[in-house]
Amino acid sequence: MFNMSDPIQEIARLRAEIAEHDARYYKSAQPSIDDQAYDQLKARLLELEQQNPELDSSESPSHSVGDDRAEGFDNYTHRKPMLSLDNTYNQEDLLDFGKRLEKLFPGQELQYIIEPKIDGVAVSLSYEKGRLIRAVTRGNGTEGDVITQNLKHLESLPHALENAPNHFEIRGEIYMSHQEFERINGEREKEGLSLYANPRNLAAGTVKLLDPQQARSRKLEIVLYGLGACEPEDYFKSQAEVQEKLKAWNCPVLEKYWTCRGIEAVWPCIEELDSRRNAFTYPTDGAVIKLDSITQQQEAGTTAKAPRGAIAYKFEAERAETLLHEIQMQVGRTGAVTPVAILEPVQLAGTIVSRASLHNEDEIRRKDIRPGDTVLVQKAGEIIPQVLSVNLEKRPEQSTPFDFNSRLIELGIQAERQEGGAAWRVVARDNPERQSRSLRHFASRVCMDIENLGAAIVEQLVQRGLARDPADLYQLKLEQLLELEKFADKSARNLLEALEASKERPLWQLIHGLGIPNVGKQSAKDLESHLDSMDSIASASMEQLEEIDGIGGIMAQSIVDWFAEPGHQALIERLRAAGLNFQSKAKAGPKDGPLVGKVFVLTGTLPTLGRTDAAERIEAAGGRTSSSVSAKTDYLLAGEAAGSKLAKAEKLGVTVLSEAEFLEML
Ligand code: IVH
């Protein structure tokens, strides 16, 4: 236990905790706490640092805006840093903000602008002579990732602006509609992939896809609200003028904003905004209150993290009370069991809520949630609402604590709780729901890509006992398939052909398809590229696995445990006997060709070749590609707008090739 009265320890603990939440939010887009809880941690840290200035440090997360930069992107230094905003949660803090500004500008009447605070992913668009030249993420506030290639196709993105300042940056937010979010999650569910918790996370994940083609298949929206650097500096006089100019340029803009004189007049505007925000097309989680005058904004200056002339007011997440009818158990692809509250439908934040996640057994016990209870549910950005607490006054008399294990038995789910972990996992392999989920995952596009093996067919195969695990699929006979509902000769033959073709899939797709807990697509690729064959992966030790970049202790343990199970060893042998590819083809690639043994890194946009295309040509000629420049890199294939990788390659003396030079080499 930490000694909370010791500020040194508490500061250290808070910094570590905040850094972890930052990484979850900015890097993996999978936050585990809501914004309000996060802000509380930060506020406490700030308070301690102010009380103990000797313990303050410029490295502290209280002085930074997080960092979203990821591997594989070029970086760009913002001409004007992308700062964050200080938050307030009540009227008093808001008035204090106004008082501070009145002191800074004595005797001057202050005009404010009140805008919706969009809950999206921050982006900065650079325009030169009116033409859009790049889109960049916030990054660490100073330097961000170039994501132009992932946004180019956005219909509403303005590519050219008439009579625009020579050099300038427009700031905005990327978001995703609920409809699109549900479409993508629906598809992911069908493919047995993990689901995104909310549209913001999915939007953040999408702008950071390394494959622009995949990014194009997901519909993103953008809304622009402000300025970054601007030349000439006095081009705009007020923030309201910026809004109007953006509108005149046909940019996607805020549907509504308010201006008023004096801080006292701000509150009614915030209230009106709150009452209208559910009708906005973008998610709005608060209000941003700014000095309207650009000169005053500049004069007010900034702290390390936020401007002094603006502040955010966050709306409280919406909550409602409702009856919890029962607790159901959802079995995931890897056999993990998630408890779900089935609720009396209730209106919440514009939608009707009838289910809520209960996370795990400990969470239910901690909150003492029982069927029959009246519970408080909250929806804060997440699509799946959370059960916050129980209204004990409304608890029925005969109520007894919820027993997780008894409920599992009641539902016929054989599962066990792993030692040291919070999750229960199904143990019996004969759970049909689990079998069909894992077969669907195996057959999905990101795994073995078996065409014609959709959910309905998998369901029937499992029900009839024709397939329990992936190896069974390769034993299927034409006659057996013909017995399935709605299955004619043609479709049966197609399926058999697809199965045959799948035997040649790259090793990583097979590894991914096995559904080893915690092993996703990237880890499967990493396993293939470092260990070369199924046999070396199966026999790898913890140490060998942990040496691989991107594979941590938990994953390594999962892999070792999975291959240690006799049932899984038998499965592997049956897959081998069926003739599936167990070798890395990347390494077994052409032994001759102009690029044998050469390592390439790609950067920027090539004039004619797409990235995938270029990578395929390199591999076909015997070469390899890597995502980062190092001393082992032989060539950097650089296109337009190449950034930090180019600089690094030049520093290391790596040969830089243009597309034309590359094609000539081939
Ligand atoms: S002004 C110096 N206005 O919220 C930062 N930001 O929590 C000035 N945001 O970094 C930003 N809507 O990414 C501003 N109407 C709005 C906004 C807005 C959303 C984002 C922005 C900012 C973050 C701060």
Side-chain angles (χ1 to χ4, degrees), residues 616-634:
E616 276 171 8
R617 287 179 190 226
I618 291 167
E619 279 158 20
R624 267 199 309 128
T625 56
S626 161
S627 55
S628 52
V629 177
S630 72
K632 290 191 199 142
T633 312
D634 293 294

Side-chain angles (χ1 to χ4, degrees), residues 83-85 115-118 122 138 172-173 225 254 288 290 307:
L83 298 180
S84 175
L85 287 171
E115 299 172 359
K117 183 173 192 315
I118 303 133
R138 186 208 312 269
E173 296 272 315
Y225 61 76
L254 300 173
V288 183
K290 306 172 184 175

Side-chain angles (χ1 to χ4, degrees), residues 290-508:
K290 306 172 184 175
L291 283 171
D292 191 31
S293 148
I294 304 276
T295 323
Q296 283 177 346
Q297 278 184 22
Q298 281 161 354
E299 281 172 16
T302 70
T303 63
K305 158 183 168 246
R308 287 202 187 84
I311 201 156
Y313 174 84
K314 290 271 201 75
F315 297 125
E316 297 239 349
E318 285 193 45
R319 296 169 176 190
E321 253 194 17
T322 191
L323 186 66
L324 189 157
H325 289 295
E326 60 167 352
I327 296 178
Q328 276 188 356
M329 301 288 178
Q330 207 167 296
V331 181
R333 170 172 61 73
T334 59
V337 179
T338 313
V340 181
I342 307 299
L343 306 168
E344 177 61 28
V346 60
Q347 181 85 22
L348 190 59
T351 54
I352 298 206
V353 168
S354 56
R355 292 152 68 87
S357 167
L358 294 172
H359 305 290
N360 55 42
E361 181 183 16
D362 295 346
E363 182 82 357
I364 298 178
R365 190 172 299 143
R366 195 168 62 76
K367 294 180 179 161
D368 188 16
I369 298 168
R370 310 174 183 189
D373 273 344
T374 297
V375 293
L376 189 64
V377 285
Q378 165 173 301
K379 214 165 141 192
E382 298 81 13
I383 282 303
I384 306 171
Q386 317 288 314
V387 172
L388 286 182
S389 59
V390 173
N391 183 342
L392 291 176
E393 283 174 14
K394 296 194 182 164
R395 173 168 280 171
E397 265 175 25
Q398 70 285 19
S399 161
T400 53
F402 179 73
D403 183 338
F404 203 93
N405 195 21
S406 312
R407 179 69 178 148
L408 286 172
I409 296 169
E410 206 173 281
L411 293 170
I413 300 173
Q414 293 176 42
E416 65 185 23
R417 185 166 168 166
Q418 283 163 332
E419 230 173 285
W424 285 71
R425 253 175 227 287
V426 169
V427 273
R429 261 181 225 102
D430 54 9
N431 174 315
E433 195 184 340
R434 182 181 177 189
Q435 284 172 351
S436 61
R437 264 176 186 274
S438 57
L439 285 175
R440 264 155 48 201
H441 171 71
F442 183 79
S444 66
R445 233 177 311 145
V446 279
C447 297
M448 297 297 272
D449 194 11
I450 307 174
E451 254 184 85
N452 314 313
L453 190 57
I457 297 162
V458 167
E459 212 72 48
Q460 290 194 61
L461 291 173
V462 170
Q463 266 168 19
R464 292 170 191 241
L466 290 174
R468 289 186 191 81
D469 63 27
D472 291 338
L473 295 174
Y474 295 97
Q475 303 304 323
L476 290 170
K477 303 278 175 297
L478 187 65
E479 310 80 71
Q480 293 173 318
L481 293 179
L482 289 176
E483 279 173 23
L484 302 185
E485 270 161 46
K486 300 206 189 111
F487 226 63
D489 194 56
K490 179 100 170 79
S491 27
R493 281 178 204 280
N494 283 346
L495 175 53
L496 289 177
E497 265 172 37
L499 279 163
E500 199 53 38
S502 74
K503 292 181 182 174
E504 291 307 315
R505 296 280 176 260
L507 178 60
W508 71 262

Side-chain angles (χ1 to χ4, degrees), residues 2 84 188 219 232 336 350 374 379 382 495 514 571 602 643:
F2 289 100
S84 175
R188 290 180 68 86
K219 193 163 186 278
T374 297
K379 214 165 141 192
E382 298 81 13
L495 175 53
L514 293 174
L571 172 68
L602 305 175

